[in-house]
Amino acid sequence: MTDYVLSDTTRDALLRVSTASVATALYKRGLRNQFIQNVQPVAWKGRNMVGQAFTLRYIPAREDRNPITVFRNPGHPQRVAVETCPPGFVLVMDSRKDARAASAGSILVTRLAKRGCAGVVSDGGFRDAEGIGKLDMPAYHQRPSAPTNLTLHEALDINVPIACGDVAVFPGDVMLGDGDGVIVIPAALADEIAQECAGMESFEDFVLEKVNAGAAIIGLYPPTSDQVQADYAEWRQKNGR
């Protein structure tokens, strides 16, 4: 869907910025619905998840099409997605916001981790969530769910545009996850968003330092005061930011 390749420079920048900063930068560009709703870390790793999207789409399961024996098929889309999601990418699943049955479990997610994938996101639930939470690879879902995916979900399409938590996700979009959740950055904007947000994070560190020291917020955030601008320039020079 895109020829964009996430550079090491942009990846490194996004590893240090928050979904909140990215949401503000996207808002300035008219994009107001990029934060995936009702998705949270299975277990927060203390570091961001960054990678391009590789997608899997589920549709509602129909009983005559989804007996347990479908997993004997080596071409089953769920299994194929796990084996073909490229290293450094994030597997993003459209489970129709339905966590009554699992999108995947610890064995498949462990396989993604072993293959070098950057993370996994579902707007449904994962089974064996405790085991997934112990992996080093970031994983995001709505909530734990024990029933097998076949109960409610049929894996159908791989690497096509999907919806995830009310957000459109196109293959190759850049996924950023932090302790708050996951935001989708359109591939064409990823480089400029990363650069802008690196500056935003620096300024917000300055603001927090001022607020913790007792400063009032008016004129400081946003920085409408000339003195604030001068103080920030001095702070950046002092702190190498």
Side-chain angles (χ1 to χ4, degrees):
M1 298 296 295
T2 178
D3 294 327
Y4 176 79
V5 176
L6 179 64
S7 69
D8 290 341
T9 299
T10 295
R11 184 189 302 274
D12 290 346
L14 291 174
L15 285 170
R16 299 190 299 271
V17 305
S18 68
T19 55
S21 292
V22 170
T24 298
L26 291 170
Y27 180 86
K28 293 175 182 177
R29 292 161 173 80
L31 294 166
R32 303 182 178 188
N33 186 41
Q34 299 302 117
F35 188 74
I36 295 178
Q37 297 298 305
N38 299 315
V39 163
Q40 59 192 348
V42 175
W44 172 232
K45 305 300 177 184
R47 68 180 192 279
N48 284 1
M49 174 192 75
V50 179
Q52 290 184 258
F54 185 88
T55 64
L56 174 65
R57 185 172 76 96
Y58 286 107
I59 65 170
R62 199 175 74 189
E63 288 76 5
D64 63 322
R65 290 178 53 88
N66 289 277
I68 197 71
T69 53
V70 297
F71 287 140
R72 296 178 182 175
N73 175 11
H76 187 272
Q78 184 200 46
R79 268 50 177 178
V80 171
V82 167
E83 293 295 336
T84 56
C85 181
F89 277 60
V90 175
L91 179 60
V92 186
M93 302 185 209
D94 173 5
S95 296
R96 307 178 321 284
K97 302 184 292 183
D98 193 340
R100 293 176 298 157
S103 304
S106 63
I107 292 175
L108 299 189
V109 176
T110 297
R111 176 59 178 160
L112 287 169
K114 291 294 184 181
R115 293 190 56 252
C117 297
V120 60
V121 179
S122 170
D123 62 0
F126 293 133
R127 66 197 311 197
D128 313 312
E130 182 179 359
I132 291 171
K134 292 177 180 177
L135 296 172
D136 188 53
M137 184 186 73
Y140 292 79
H141 71 164
Q142 185 184 142
R143 59 176 171 81
S145 183
T148 179
N149 69 309
L150 300 175
T151 309
L152 289 170
H153 306 305
E154 178 178 344
L156 193 68
D157 293 320
I158 297 173
N159 222 28
V160 298
I162 63 169
C164 187
D166 293 324
V167 180
V169 182
F170 290 83
D173 281 347
V174 177
M175 311 298 294
L176 170 64
D178 64 7
D180 288 348
V182 180
I183 197 160
V184 183
I185 308 172
L189 296 175
D191 294 344
E192 64 180 83
I193 291 290
Q195 183 177 6
E196 177 178 324
C197 289
M200 289 171 61
E201 294 287 334
S202 172
F203 177 69
E204 291 189 359
D205 287 346
F206 161 77
V207 169
L208 280 172
E209 187 175 303
K210 287 288 191 182
V211 169
N212 282 323
I217 205 70
I218 297 172
L220 174 64
Y221 190 73
T224 56
S225 162
D226 290 341
Q227 185 60 52
V228 167
Q229 297 278 10
D231 289 347
Y232 177 50
E234 181 180 347
W235 181 91
R236 288 187 65 190
Q237 186 174 19
K238 178 182 177 182
N239 292 277
R241 303 288 295 273

